């Protein structure tokens, strides 16, 4: 008679942990959990309380507990918790640990250890692991391999919005292979359909410019508005530019103001 109550309590803890501390880009996150870009200061105590309980049986909750500790500037606790989550297979925790080693935040800077963690995350299908691995020089200063990063992202992009967005950026820039605006736009569109803020902003830009497909100012504005509502700063700036497209300059060519309508 007691067990159902315990199971219910554990699941309620995980629900609350997800609500305040889930990472939108975490591959472990269920599709029906929205996630938050950062743990809000007002939610830190709640996140620590419920994620700590849920973390006893959920690696996702452990990773999220690390996020809460990091938001509370408790870096040693965040590091220890992410290690536990990584040991249980959390690729997002591997990425966060890799970032700590790459930057020397709270641990001794170690590019080789960072590379190993990013590789593990990338092999597990985590798009941030792939993109960070591509950005990080290997041991001895060896250059990163954008072509390999593209290949790894292509596999992750079959199911993951963040991977679709990251691969779209590589195709748009011609990084690691041929430049492909149409392919980039298609990937951004897929990720945008899943409410990925960056992809929504990129779809706004591509649609506004007619890049890789039809030009449509009204559709571009709608994409920007959706991205801005999710907190994307570039989208907010793009909307402002659409409202105030004319730049007034002085006789020296210096910016004075924008003319809005």
């Amino acid at each position: 008679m007691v067990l159902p109550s315990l199971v219910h309590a554990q699941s309620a803890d995980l629900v609350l942990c997800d609500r305040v501390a889930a990472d939108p880009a975490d591959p472990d996150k269920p599709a029906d959990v929205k996630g938050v870009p950062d743990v809000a200061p007002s939610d830190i105590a709640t996140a620590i309380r419920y994620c700590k309980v849920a973390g006893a049986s959920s690696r996702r909750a452990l990773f999220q507990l690390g996020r809460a500790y990091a938001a509370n500037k408790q870096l040693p606790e965040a590091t220890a918790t992410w290690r536990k989550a990584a040991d249980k297979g959390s690729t997002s925790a591997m990425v966060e640990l890799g970032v700590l080693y790459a930057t020397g935040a709270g641990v001794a800077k170690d590019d080789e250890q960072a590379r190993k963690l990013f590789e593990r995350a990338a092999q597990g299908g985590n798009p941030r692991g792939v993109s960070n691995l591509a950005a990080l020089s290997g041991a001895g200063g060896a250059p990163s391999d954008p072509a390999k990063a593209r290949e790894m992202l292509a596999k992750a992009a079959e199911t993951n919005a963040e991977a679709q967005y990251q691969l779209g950026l590589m195709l748009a820039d011609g990084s690691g292979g041929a430049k492909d605006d149409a392919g980039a736009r298609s990937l951004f569109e897929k990720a945008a359909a899943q409410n990925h803020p960056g992809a929504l902003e990129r779809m706004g830009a591509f649609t506004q410019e007619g890049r890789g497909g039809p030009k449509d100012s009204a559709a571009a504005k709608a994409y920007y508005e959706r991205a801005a509502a999710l907190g994307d700063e570039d989208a907010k700036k793009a909307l402002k530019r659409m409202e105030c497209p004319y730049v007034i300059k002085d006789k020296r060519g210096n910016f004075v103001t924008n003319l809005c309508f």
Side-chain angles (χ1 to χ4, degrees), residues 1-241:
M1 296 295 290
V2 176
L3 288 176
S5 298
L6 288 174
V7 171
H8 176 74
Q10 287 174 352
S11 61
D13 289 323
L14 184 55
V15 167
L16 287 165
C17 175
D18 281 338
R19 185 177 300 166
V20 295
D23 183 345
D26 183 10
D28 281 345
K29 180 185 70 62
D32 61 345
V33 175
K34 183 178 179 181
V36 291
D38 299 291
V39 179
S42 59
D43 288 332
I44 288 173
T46 299
I48 291 174
R49 176 182 176 184
Y50 290 104
C51 293
K52 188 178 291 186
V53 176
S57 57
S58 167
R59 73 183 187 191
R60 181 173 83 252
L62 263 182
F63 163 64
Q64 292 165 186
L65 175 59
R67 293 188 85 211
Y69 281 138
N72 205 35
K73 304 190 186 306
Q74 294 176 257
L75 198 52
E77 289 84 352
T79 303
T81 304
W82 282 330
R83 286 192 199 284
K84 291 177 184 177
D87 288 343
K88 292 179 180 293
S90 169
T91 58
S92 291
M94 294 172 199
V95 171
E96 295 300 340
L97 285 172
V99 170
L100 296 182
Y101 279 109
T103 58
V107 295
K109 191 174 187 302
D110 187 337
D111 284 349
E112 180 62 16
Q113 185 63 25
R115 182 183 64 77
K116 289 178 180 178
L117 285 160
F118 292 149
E119 280 184 347
R120 285 176 60 198
Q123 288 164 0
N126 189 300
R128 283 185 63 213
V130 177
S131 56
N132 285 353
L133 182 61
L136 182 70
S137 293
S144 58
D145 189 345
K148 184 177 180 181
R150 242 205 217 204
E151 183 181 342
M152 295 173 78
L153 275 171
K155 183 178 179 180
E158 293 173 5
T159 57
N160 186 276
E162 179 67 17
Q164 291 159 4
Y165 170 66
Q166 294 289 346
L167 182 58
L169 292 176
M170 294 193 81
L171 265 61
D173 294 339
S175 176
K179 186 174 181 179
D180 183 356
D181 280 353
R185 181 166 174 158
S186 176
L187 286 161
F188 291 145
E189 189 169 20
K190 288 178 182 177
Q194 299 167 72
N195 285 324
H196 187 289
L200 285 164
E201 185 278 330
R202 285 294 80 202
M203 274 304 295
F206 272 52
T207 306
Q208 186 179 16
E209 299 166 14
R211 186 174 170 184
K215 184 175 182 178
D216 186 333
S217 296
K221 185 178 181 182
Y223 279 121
Y224 285 142
E225 286 174 341
R226 287 173 61 194
L230 293 171
D232 190 278
E233 294 300 324
D234 289 335
K236 293 175 184 178
K237 292 174 184 175
L239 282 171
K240 186 66 177 176
R241 287 194 298 271

